Amino acid sequence: MLDTNKDTKVPFLSPFIVPPGETLGEKISEMGLNVEDFADQVGMSVEAVIHLLKGRLPLTPHIAVKLEKATRIPVDYWNRAEANYREKLGKLDLE
């Protein structure tokens, strides 16, 4: 017989998924830079940085190294943040 009184845990997935680019945008502002200056500093096009900020451009390990040099936020932070972001996006696509 099925016990309907048992609590079942359903994982909660927030509908708000924040790309690592949001953290990057905050850091760029904190550094007193605009997107153009930051793009020059990291050797990326302005368009690529904008896509990165919006989560449209995947933050690759190569980009993570550039970001660490510019922001002093460790590579492993950027890599973990990107992996978590993409995982959450994937889970939303499955629902």
Side-chain angles (χ1 to χ4, degrees):
M1 178 168 210
L2 181 62
D3 185 357
T4 57
N5 292 326
K6 278 191 172 182
D7 289 333
T8 56
K9 293 185 180 182
V10 177
F12 174 75
L13 183 62
S14 172
F16 303 103
I17 299 175
V18 180
E22 189 162 314
T23 301
L24 178 59
E26 292 171 6
K27 186 64 178 177
I28 291 170
S29 293
E30 181 183 300
M31 295 167 62
L33 299 174
N34 59 37
V35 173
E36 292 82 8
D37 292 338
F38 186 77
D40 284 342
Q41 186 174 339
V42 295
M44 295 174 67
S45 70
V46 171
E47 182 179 0
V49 171
I50 290 169
H51 286 297
L52 187 62
L53 293 171
K54 294 181 179 185
R56 295 182 190 144
L57 176 68
L59 199 161
T60 64
H62 179 72
I63 292 172
V65 170
K66 291 180 178 197
L67 297 183
E68 180 183 62
K69 289 178 182 176
T71 65
R72 297 188 182 198
I73 297 173
V75 167
D76 63 326
Y77 168 81
W78 295 116
N79 289 330
R80 281 193 320 270
E82 177 66 15
N84 290 336
Y85 174 66
R86 297 296 164 185
E87 179 183 329
K88 288 176 184 176
L89 282 180
K91 286 180 180 179
L92 280 181
D93 284 346
L94 295 175
E95 292 183 347

